[in-house]
């Protein structure tokens, strides 16, 4: 893939209907854009798609995906354990090669404007693309989820979208569009079904609670077990092994332990720690399919 290369990782608030998810993904098919990964989770009712390619084409693909999601996902009927504000919930742009994070900020702004212009879905900018300091953190944008934001955006000027609004789209909500570095999305399953344990651990490890730098964490119930859903925003500053060790130590206080893990989406080769305990616990980890550099060399076929 010669020339500047950008990754985009749209998160859609649907993970229980493969036919509709594949329709959304198919809408993103464009020359110059490659499909690298599709991860669906029925419990979270969420799908994460990874695409990469030439910057302008990736922006257009992301915008089309957001439009198709707005058509197919009705948040007034959608439920799931993962927080969400929109049908196309978050759309981050990530520099891979030949492009800077600052340029990805411009791509995010362009995508946000087009999502509003074409589909009347208002947009919040977050992370490096944030137009306001209090929106750099996605959790601040997502506070109250779709239902709470729908009311507060209408009543409170501080909660209004950066583009469009003030009302959210009646069924598709709003979209958070951002630019960021590579992120490792990593889930840890505990040998316990007690979600309170996972939530207590999440509070202690997340950066917002003065835990680990660049780490976001939620405690959830998934597949009948307590799960830590972790986003590691700077794996060089905070390696995944450090996160795993902290979770293990905290779990031990509750007489629990991590027993399995999974990587959602792709992981850069530089984040892999081949002999680590966290990698040994990964469920069905296939380096060919899950490592970014390998998938770039061999993209997936687009759904029809």
């Amino acid at each position: 893939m010669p020339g500047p290369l950008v990754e985009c990782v749209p998160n859609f608030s649907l993970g229980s209907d493969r036919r509709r998810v594949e329709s959304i993904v198919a809408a993103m098919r464009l020359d110059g854009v490659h499909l690298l990964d599709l991860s669906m989770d029925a419990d979270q009712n969420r799908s994460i798609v990874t695409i990469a390619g030439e910057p302008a084409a990736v922006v257009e693909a992301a915008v089309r995906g957001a439009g198709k999601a707005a058509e197919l996902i009705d948040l007034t009927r959608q439920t799931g354990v993962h927080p969400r504000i929109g049908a196309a919930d978050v759309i981050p742009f990530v520099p891979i090669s030949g492009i800077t994070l600052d340029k990805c900020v411009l791509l995010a702004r362009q995508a946000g404007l087009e999502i509003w212009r074409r589909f009347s879905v208002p947009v919040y900018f977050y992370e490096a693309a944030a137009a306001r300091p209090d929106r750099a953190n996605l959790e601040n944008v997502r506070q109250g989820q779709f239902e709470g934001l729908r009311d507060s955006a209408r009543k409170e000027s501080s909660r209004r979208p950066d583009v469009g609004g003030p009302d959210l789209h009646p069924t598709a909500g709003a979209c958070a569009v951002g630019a960021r570095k590579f992120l490792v999305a990593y889930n840890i399953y505990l040998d316990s079904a007690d979600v309170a344990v996972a939530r207590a651990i999440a509070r202690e490890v997340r950066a917002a609670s003065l835990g680990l730098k660049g780490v976001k964490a939620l405690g959830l119930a998934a597949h009948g077990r307590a799960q830590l859903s972790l986003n590691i925003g700077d794996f060089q500053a905070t390696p995944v092994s450090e996160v795993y060790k902290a979770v293990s130590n905290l779990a031990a206080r509750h007489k629990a332990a991590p027993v399995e893990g999974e990587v959602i989406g792709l992981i850069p080769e530089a984040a892999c720690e081949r002999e680590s305990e966290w990698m040994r616990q990964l469920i069905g980890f296939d380096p060919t399919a899950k490592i970014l550099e390998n998938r770039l060399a061999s993209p997936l076929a687009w759904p029809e």
Side-chain angles (χ1 to χ4, degrees):
M1 299 182 188
L5 192 61
V6 65
E7 178 188 67
C8 185
V9 192
N11 289 217
F12 300 105
S13 297
L14 177 65
S16 57
D17 186 331
R18 179 164 288 276
R19 181 186 60 81
R20 282 192 289 159
V21 170
E22 288 186 347
S23 293
I24 293 168
V25 175
M28 302 168 73
R29 182 176 184 172
L30 283 172
D31 289 343
V33 179
H34 302 276
L35 177 62
L36 304 186
D37 189 71
L38 167 57
S39 299
M40 295 177 57
D41 189 307
D43 284 347
Q44 296 194 17
N45 206 7
R46 193 171 186 84
S47 295
I48 300 176
V49 181
T50 305
I51 59 174
E54 184 271 322
V58 168
V59 168
E60 178 62 21
V63 171
R64 293 187 186 187
K68 195 66 174 179
E71 175 187 330
L72 296 179
I73 300 172
D74 182 348
L75 288 186
T76 66
R77 299 182 171 191
Q78 188 265 9
T79 59
V81 298
H82 200 288
R84 82 286 185 264
I85 60 169
D89 189 49
V90 295
I91 301 180
F93 292 87
V94 183
I96 296 178
S97 62
I99 189 168
T100 64
L101 183 60
D102 286 344
K103 288 289 180 63
C104 285
V105 168
L106 297 178
L107 298 180
R109 298 285 179 83
Q110 179 185 348
L113 290 169
E114 285 299 307
I115 289 168
W116 167 250
R117 186 179 69 81
R118 297 189 205 177
F119 310 115
S120 299
V121 175
V123 170
Y124 294 82
F125 295 117
Y126 77 103
E127 288 270 355
R132 293 169 28 174
D134 60 325
R135 291 184 178 172
N137 190 329
L138 182 59
E139 284 90 337
N140 293 342
V141 175
R142 220 192 245 141
Q143 184 179 1
Q145 296 200 57
F146 165 66
E147 293 80 4
L149 186 60
R150 179 179 55 191
D151 296 333
S152 61
R154 186 182 303 120
K155 298 173 183 176
E156 304 169 29
S157 60
S158 64
R159 296 285 280 154
R160 289 177 182 169
D162 293 306
V163 177
D167 288 340
L168 303 192
H169 188 285
T171 57
C175 182
V177 182
R180 59 165 172 76
K181 298 178 181 178
F182 284 115
L183 175 150
V184 177
Y186 171 47
N187 294 338
I188 297 176
Y189 292 93
L190 303 178
D191 61 350
S192 168
D194 190 348
V195 180
V197 171
R199 289 174 178 161
I201 296 170
R203 279 194 298 270
E204 294 208 47
V205 299
R206 65 171 68 110
S209 303
L210 303 180
L212 299 174
K213 181 180 179 181
V215 173
K216 300 176 182 178
L218 293 171
L220 306 170
H223 312 297
R225 292 183 288 178
Q227 181 200 84
L228 271 294
S229 178
L230 302 150
N231 283 345
I232 302 166
D234 189 344
F235 64 82
Q236 293 173 321
T238 308
V240 183
S241 57
E242 184 178 336
V243 177
Y244 176 85
K245 181 179 179 181
V247 169
S248 298
N249 291 339
L250 291 165
R253 297 182 192 174
H254 297 274
K255 296 182 171 33
V259 289
E260 287 185 333
E262 59 187 352
V263 171
I264 305 301
L266 302 179
I267 181 172
E269 178 66 53
C272 293
E273 300 166 280
R274 298 289 185 171
E275 302 305 315
S276 63
E277 182 64 19
W278 76 268
M279 287 205 75
R280 283 194 287 270
Q281 286 192 355
L282 290 178
I283 305 165
F285 183 79
D286 178 0
T288 302
K290 300 301 287 184
I291 293 179
L292 173 69
E293 290 83 353
N294 295 339
R295 187 49 88 193
L296 281 170
S298 182
L300 297 173
W302 290 93
E304 297 298 329

